[in-house]
Amino acid sequence: MTGATSSRSFVKSNNLYGWLFISIAVILLAVFLLYPIVYSLYLSTTSSKGIVQNFVGLKNYIRLVKDPMFLLALKNTFTLFIIQVPIMLLLALILASLLNDKTIKFRGIFRTGIFLPAVTSLVAYTILFKMMFALDGFINTALMNLHIIKEPIPWLLDPVWAKITIMIALTWRWTGYNMVFYLSALQNIPDEIYEASEIDGASKVQQFFHITIPILKPLIVFTSIMSTIGTLQLFDEPMNLAQAGVTSATTGPGNSLLTLSVYIYNLCFKYMPDFGYAATVSYVIVFIVAILTVIQFKVAGDKS
Amino acid sequence: MKTRNIAKKIIVYVFLISAFVVSVFPFYWMIVGMTNKSVDVIKGKMTFGNQLINNLTTLFTTFDMKGVLFNSLKISVLTVIGTLIISSMAAYGFQIFSSPAREKIYNAILLSMMVPFAALMIPLFRLIVKFGLLNKHIGLILTSIASVFIIFFFRQSIKSFPHEIIQAARVDGAGEFRIFFTIFMPSMRSTYAAAAIYSFMNSWNAYLWPLIVLQTDEKKTVTLLISSMSSAYTPQYGVIMTAIVIATLPIIIVFFTFQRYFVQGMLGSVKQ
């Protein structure tokens, strides 16, 4: 009898403590995360000019299709995402599997050096790249001295080259970061698997495609989702590569670096504020992230 | 066969060395740039100059480097302390006192991790204005101390924390909060270290949200100062390099001191 009561009161107090422990975080998250997410969805159905806010239903979503700036931002973001993410992840995978080979000397130094870019702030490294890729900057000077090019490349002055520059910068910053994830997972694969396959006559390339990639599959999905979200949110880099930063008239030559996040910022803080329409654009990112995540899980054949 | 192997080895090393040089070179260039004049930096001079003192003087007199460093440090340290306590407590609550209701809340929170910041930005900005937190450091801190990722990260590590220790402490009559602060926290040092690095780096390097919240110069952070320096009409490249080095160095030091914890911790949270 007493045992039952005390255990019931224990469950009760347990429950109370559960709420107490999570309370502060849950309140903060409800106010600063969940409420904004829901409110943003509501905002996306309104039109606000100044302080007047009108309900317009799906009108904002229809406006998207006819908005050349939005379509450009969408195209730019997708171009960066489709080209840069696979190159970077493949590079990270190759580096990780090379560095997992115990016969390679100075593995620690290679790993640390290649990872080093991942500790820099996004703004700092972007500005570093902006200086290096200036018309009369280090990269052009070096390439001309090496007689690889005759004329300086207009890295940040031409729409196509500007995209290439930002892709180079992104790859520099994130390859080592992804490599470390892969490398730590590879170190958990028993050497015997590779040894056995070697006896069976498998080449290094075959091992890479038939052992390394399948084992790392969950991690590859995880890193590609993270990179997808990261690319769709790209803001610090395009903003700081632009000629005059936040105050630039265009983001990159011919708005070639205008990403969705930059466009949202512009809609809120640069042009006449239109929070309703900005929220609509932001929900486009939410939908794209959701769709791409589902696709990535499907491609990986992950049942969970 | 032998020569083919050697050829392969050479290719591998050439590849690794190029990746290493490309990764590390900008750091060398940044340190060299700190000692050079603006003109030399942009031209890509690769040797040390004698402008270090000049650049430092300009940075600390023309620009309020001391002020922004103090702001960044204050915001980051307070954010880290707040995040560690509040987010680890929440993770502990979710894992140790699990209940169906709380599990639903946890799943909802996790799902929101997929929502990009851009989608929260507008309502969040309006909230900050409404609460009178615009242009205040506390506005930045308060909005980031309950971190979904850190809660998730802590919960993953708590799963391997021996439940018996908690039971034993309860039998000894210790209160739940005392168990958390005096038994749980000290024994999870490495998890706290990893979370601290992650949260410090995030806060120190943050750009978009501080750009929106902090509006006057005396409130700005190092990251904001560097950004505005480089978009000036005639940027002083040597001085910018000096600022970048000063802003990057603390992170590099903190990171390499604790990197062991960091990589293990981050990977542990991914695998499960």
Side-chain angles (χ1 to χ4, degrees):
Chain A
M1 178 68 194
T2 43
T5 345
S6 84
S7 96
R8 192 183 301 148
S9 78
F10 178 70
V11 168
K12 225 181 212 169
S13 78
N14 230 352
N15 196 28
L16 175 70
Y17 277 114
W19 291 116
L20 281 176
F21 269 99
I22 67 166
S23 57
I24 305 175
V26 167
I27 291 168
L28 286 171
L29 288 174
V31 177
F32 294 127
L33 184 67
L34 300 180
Y35 164 76
I37 291 174
V38 176
Y39 193 74
S40 209
L41 187 60
Y42 161 73
L43 262 184
S44 75
T45 63
T46 67
S47 169
S48 46
K49 289 270 146 36
I51 42 168
V52 192
Q53 202 170 300
N54 299 310
F55 180 78
V56 293
L58 291 177
K59 225 166 154 189
N60 282 337
Y61 288 88
I62 295 162
R63 178 176 160 191
L64 285 174
V65 194
K66 287 180 272 175
D67 177 359
M69 280 294 234
F70 165 75
L71 294 174
L72 180 64
L74 190 69
K75 201 182 108 200
N76 289 341
T77 310
F78 262 85
T79 312
L80 293 178
F81 159 70
I82 288 167
I83 301 174
Q84 194 266 334
V85 173
I87 293 178
M88 170 187 70
L89 293 183
L90 187 67
L91 206 56
L93 262 173
I94 294 172
L95 285 168
S97 55
L98 290 181
L99 288 177
N100 193 41
D101 181 348
K102 296 203 170 45
T103 62
I104 300 281
K105 291 199 174 66
F106 311 117
R107 288 197 299 157
I109 296 173
F110 281 128
R111 194 188 56 210
T112 307
I114 295 169
F115 178 76
L116 205 57
V119 303
T120 57
S121 94
L122 301 184
V123 171
Y125 97 86
T126 306
I127 288 166
L128 214 57
F129 271 73
K130 188 180 172 186
M131 291 189 239
M132 286 202 291
F133 285 83
L135 193 64
D136 52 354
F138 168 76
I139 297 287
N140 275 336
T141 314
L143 289 177
M144 276 158 71
N145 286 342
L146 291 170
H147 300 289
I148 295 172
I149 52 169
K150 282 204 180 77
E151 298 275 302
I153 295 174
W155 293 106
L156 288 164
L157 302 170
D158 172 84
V160 176
W161 284 111
K163 278 207 188 69
I164 295 176
T165 309
I166 201 172
M167 285 184 205
I168 296 174
L170 285 167
T171 309
W172 180 81
R173 172 65 171 73
W174 294 101
T175 302
Y177 176 85
N178 288 298
M179 178 197 77
V180 166
F181 277 107
Y182 296 146
L183 198 53
S184 322
L186 282 177
Q187 278 160 359
N188 293 333
I189 302 176
D191 290 336
E192 292 82 49
I193 296 184
Y194 287 102
E195 281 159 18
S197 76
E198 226 159 89
I199 294 166
D200 292 343
S203 71
K204 290 272 179 217
V205 177
Q206 281 173 322
Q207 285 182 348
F208 180 75
F209 284 105
H210 296 288
I211 302 176
T212 311
I213 288 189
I215 290 182
L216 291 186
K217 214 169 178 185
L219 205 54
I220 294 172
V221 174
F222 172 79
T223 49
S224 41
I225 290 173
M226 295 310 278
S227 306
T228 307
I229 298 179
T231 313
L232 288 174
Q233 298 201 62
L234 216 54
F235 179 84
D236 299 17
E237 289 91 341
M239 210 49 144
N240 285 292
L241 273 181
Q243 209 58 44
V246 181
T247 52
S248 303
T250 60
T251 312
N255 269 325
S256 54
L257 298 180
L258 183 80
T259 58
L260 289 171
S261 286
V262 173
Y263 188 45
I264 295 169
Y265 178 88
N266 289 346
L267 282 173
C268 294
F269 302 106
K270 211 160 130 188
Y271 313 143
M272 195 173 103
D274 189 346
F275 289 132
Y277 187 56
T280 314
V281 178
S282 75
Y283 255 84
V284 172
I285 304 185
V286 176
F287 293 135
I288 298 174
V289 168
I291 293 168
L292 289 178
T293 306
V294 171
I295 293 175
Q296 275 156 347
F297 271 115
K298 280 263 147 59
V299 168
D302 195 319
K303 265 117 206 143
S304 68
Chain B
M1 188 68 193
K2 195 106 198 232
T3 48
R4 245 187 81 198
N5 272 345
I6 291 170
K8 265 187 196 165
K9 271 270 140 67
I10 291 172
I11 294 171
V12 167
Y13 276 108
V14 167
F15 186 68
L16 285 176
I17 290 169
S18 344
F20 180 85
V21 170
V22 169
S23 302
V24 173
F25 177 76
F27 290 91
Y28 169 76
W29 195 59
M30 154 176 120
I31 292 167
V32 167
M34 188 166 75
T35 67
N36 281 320
K37 274 190 235 155
S38 195
V39 201
D40 291 333
V41 171
I42 204 70
K43 277 195 181 134
K45 185 173 169 235
M46 290 200 356
T47 49
F48 287 93
N50 52 7
Q51 296 294 308
L52 179 62
I53 304 292
N54 265 346
N55 287 338
L56 277 171
T57 318
T58 315
L59 181 60
F60 280 90
T61 52
T62 313
F63 302 96
D64 185 20
M65 187 64 174
K66 217 171 102 191
V68 294
L69 271 178
F70 175 76
N71 289 344
S72 277
L73 200 64
K74 174 184 147 195
I75 295 168
S76 303
V77 168
L78 291 177
T79 305
V80 169
I81 295 172
T83 308
L84 290 191
I85 295 173
I86 288 166
S87 302
S88 71
M89 265 178 86
Y92 187 87
F94 281 122
Q95 181 63 28
I96 303 293
F97 306 100
S98 62
S99 81
R102 280 187 291 276
E103 212 54 37
K104 278 198 190 101
I105 295 177
Y106 181 75
N107 288 333
I109 290 173
L110 265 199
L111 201 64
S112 69
M113 209 157 55
M114 304 293 287
V115 180
F117 179 74
L120 324 172
M121 198 167 84
I122 302 148
L124 207 52
F125 174 70
R126 291 178 137 196
L127 271 182
I128 290 293
V129 174
K130 209 185 247 168
F131 292 163
L133 297 174
L134 193 66
N135 204 24
K136 294 205 171 98
H137 292 153
I138 188 76
L140 284 183
I141 298 167
L142 215 55
T143 45
S144 48
I145 51 177
S147 154
V148 178
F149 182 75
I150 300 283
I151 293 175
F152 167 74
F153 172 61
F154 267 108
R155 191 170 178 184
Q156 294 301 325
S157 354
I158 295 172
K159 282 181 179 161
S160 60
F161 184 76
H163 228 275
E164 298 77 39
I165 296 180
I166 299 170
Q167 296 296 2
R170 276 181 192 147
V171 172
D172 288 344
E176 296 296 337
F177 286 101
R178 226 185 92 196
I179 296 175
F180 177 79
F181 285 108
T182 63
I183 297 171
F184 174 79
M185 269 189 160
S187 64
M188 297 290 277
R189 265 187 310 252
S190 60
T191 309
Y192 277 93
I197 301 172
Y198 179 85
S199 132
F200 186 87
M201 276 169 71
N202 258 0
S203 168
W204 184 269
N205 294 337
Y207 176 64
L208 175 53
W209 187 225
L211 178 70
I212 296 169
V213 175
L214 306 177
Q215 308 203 316
T216 56
D217 282 344
E218 82 272 6
K219 292 284 179 190
K220 293 214 155 120
T221 62
V222 178
T223 308
L224 292 178
L225 176 72
I226 293 175
S227 175
S228 68
M229 278 166 85
S230 91
S231 51
Y233 194 63
T234 46
Q236 295 171 273
Y237 295 109
V239 183
I240 297 173
M241 286 296 209
T242 314
I244 292 179
V245 172
I246 293 176
T248 312
L249 226 48
I251 303 248
I252 295 185
I253 294 168
V254 169
F255 189 86
F256 284 103
T257 318
F258 300 104
Q259 71 160 330
R260 199 158 44 98
Y261 302 123
F262 187 75
V263 174
Q264 277 170 3
M266 289 295 134
L267 198 77
S269 70
V270 172
K271 268 199 311 207
Q272 280 159 44

Short mmCIF file of all heavy atoms in Angstrom, two decimals, chain A residues 34-35 84 95-96 155-156 172 192 220 242:
data_model
loop_
_atom_site.label_atom_id
_atom_site.label_comp_id
_atom_site.label_asym_id
_atom_site.label_seq_id
_atom_site.Cartn_x
_atom_site.Cartn_y
_atom_site.Cartn_z
N LEU A 34 9.35 28.85 -32.21
CA LEU A 34 8.09 28.31 -32.73
C LEU A 34 7.13 29.42 -33.14
O LEU A 34 6.55 29.38 -34.22
CB LEU A 34 7.46 27.36 -31.71
CG LEU A 34 8.34 26.16 -31.35
CD1 LEU A 34 7.65 25.26 -30.35
CD2 LEU A 34 8.69 25.35 -32.60
N TYR A 35 7.00 30.44 -32.28
CA TYR A 35 6.11 31.55 -32.62
C TYR A 35 6.54 32.22 -33.93
O TYR A 35 5.71 32.41 -34.83
CB TYR A 35 6.02 32.54 -31.45
CG TYR A 35 5.46 33.88 -31.84
CD1 TYR A 35 4.09 34.04 -32.04
CD2 TYR A 35 6.29 34.99 -32.03
CE1 TYR A 35 3.57 35.26 -32.43
CE2 TYR A 35 5.78 36.22 -32.42
CZ TYR A 35 4.42 36.35 -32.62
OH TYR A 35 3.92 37.55 -33.01
N GLN A 84 28.28 23.22 -56.51
CA GLN A 84 29.30 23.26 -55.45
C GLN A 84 29.20 22.10 -54.45
O GLN A 84 30.21 21.51 -54.10
CB GLN A 84 29.23 24.60 -54.72
CG GLN A 84 30.43 24.89 -53.83
CD GLN A 84 30.18 24.47 -52.40
OE1 GLN A 84 29.04 24.41 -51.94
NE2 GLN A 84 31.24 24.14 -51.68
N LEU A 95 39.61 12.90 -49.96
CA LEU A 95 40.65 13.26 -48.99
C LEU A 95 40.57 12.38 -47.75
O LEU A 95 41.58 11.90 -47.25
CB LEU A 95 40.50 14.74 -48.59
CG LEU A 95 40.98 15.76 -49.63
CD1 LEU A 95 40.51 17.15 -49.27
CD2 LEU A 95 42.49 15.72 -49.78
N ALA A 96 39.34 12.14 -47.29
CA ALA A 96 39.18 11.32 -46.09
C ALA A 96 39.69 9.90 -46.33
O ALA A 96 40.39 9.34 -45.49
CB ALA A 96 37.72 11.30 -45.66
N TRP A 155 37.51 38.15 -61.85
CA TRP A 155 36.87 37.27 -60.86
C TRP A 155 35.56 37.81 -60.30
O TRP A 155 34.56 37.11 -60.28
CB TRP A 155 37.82 37.00 -59.70
CG TRP A 155 39.02 36.20 -60.06
CD1 TRP A 155 40.30 36.68 -60.19
CD2 TRP A 155 39.09 34.81 -60.35
NE1 TRP A 155 41.15 35.66 -60.53
CE2 TRP A 155 40.45 34.50 -60.63
CE3 TRP A 155 38.14 33.78 -60.39
CZ2 TRP A 155 40.88 33.22 -60.95
CZ3 TRP A 155 38.57 32.50 -60.69
CH2 TRP A 155 39.93 32.23 -60.98
N LEU A 156 35.63 39.04 -59.79
CA LEU A 156 34.45 39.54 -59.09
C LEU A 156 33.70 40.59 -59.91
O LEU A 156 32.82 41.27 -59.41
CB LEU A 156 34.85 40.11 -57.74
CG LEU A 156 35.27 39.03 -56.74
CD1 LEU A 156 36.01 39.60 -55.56
CD2 LEU A 156 34.03 38.26 -56.26
N TRP A 172 36.70 25.91 -50.30
CA TRP A 172 37.85 26.08 -49.40
C TRP A 172 37.40 26.00 -47.94
O TRP A 172 38.01 25.32 -47.13
CB TRP A 172 38.52 27.44 -49.66
CG TRP A 172 39.70 27.71 -48.80
CD1 TRP A 172 40.98 27.25 -48.99
CD2 TRP A 172 39.74 28.48 -47.59
NE1 TRP A 172 41.80 27.69 -47.97
CE2 TRP A 172 41.05 28.45 -47.11
CE3 TRP A 172 38.78 29.20 -46.87
CZ2 TRP A 172 41.46 29.11 -45.93
CZ3 TRP A 172 39.17 29.85 -45.70
CH2 TRP A 172 40.49 29.80 -45.25
N GLU A 192 40.22 -5.08 -41.38
CA GLU A 192 40.10 -6.42 -41.99
C GLU A 192 39.25 -6.39 -43.26
O GLU A 192 39.49 -7.14 -44.20
CB GLU A 192 39.48 -7.43 -41.01
CG GLU A 192 40.36 -7.78 -39.83
CD GLU A 192 40.28 -6.76 -38.72
OE1 GLU A 192 39.15 -6.40 -38.32
OE2 GLU A 192 41.33 -6.29 -38.25
N ILE A 220 26.94 10.56 -45.45
CA ILE A 220 26.90 11.35 -46.68
C ILE A 220 25.54 12.04 -46.80
O ILE A 220 25.46 13.21 -47.15
CB ILE A 220 27.17 10.46 -47.91
CG1 ILE A 220 28.62 9.94 -47.86
CG2 ILE A 220 26.95 11.23 -49.21
CD1 ILE A 220 28.95 8.90 -48.91
N ALA A 242 30.22 41.20 -52.34
CA ALA A 242 29.70 42.31 -53.12
C ALA A 242 30.57 43.54 -52.91
O ALA A 242 31.13 43.74 -51.83
CB ALA A 242 28.26 42.61 -52.73
#
